[in-house]
Amino acid sequence: MILGGLLFAALFAAGPSPDAHRAEIESWRARRMASLKKDDGWLTLVGLFWLEQGENRFGGGKKGNRIVFPEGSAPASAGSLDLAGETVTIHAKPEANLTAG
């Protein structure tokens, strides 16, 4: 029994100090948060909408749009995303002022 206790004590003593462990966890959290906040990270995702086959209208208005943008961010009706099989075609109205890049 003494040998087992000594082995346990040796293994426990060989682990990281509480301060080192805390620093490791805080470092991981900082890296994770930076990853989430980058331009293509999950925290920049405003909405996730699954497209249905055919026309999927979008805009700032709740009426008539399958995809509703935040209020004031787009005209009431800005256009549509048309899904045909695995191909999506965007049809933007001129007043939507959409840009790419």
Side-chain angles (χ1 to χ4, degrees):
M1 186 59 96
I2 293 175
L3 183 57
L6 290 174
L7 181 57
F8 177 78
L11 290 173
F12 184 73
S17 72
D19 290 339
H21 181 69
R22 182 183 321 280
E24 182 181 344
I25 296 299
E26 288 174 358
S27 174
W28 177 86
R29 284 182 178 162
R31 289 191 313 273
R32 177 69 175 143
M33 194 53 98
S35 171
L36 291 171
K37 288 181 176 181
K38 64 184 185 176
D39 287 344
D40 61 350
W42 279 105
L43 291 180
T44 60
L45 181 66
V46 173
L48 182 61
F49 301 92
W50 299 110
L51 299 179
E52 295 179 354
Q53 289 293 322
E55 182 181 59
N56 297 269
R57 287 188 243 153
F58 64 89
K62 293 180 182 177
K63 191 172 187 179
N65 291 316
R66 176 153 168 34
I67 302 167
V68 179
F69 293 162
E71 188 175 332
S73 67
S77 177
S80 67
L81 298 167
D82 297 335
L83 177 61
E86 294 184 8
T87 303
V88 177
T89 306
I90 187 167
H91 299 280
K93 293 185 175 182
E95 59 270 22
N97 293 320
L98 294 185
T99 59

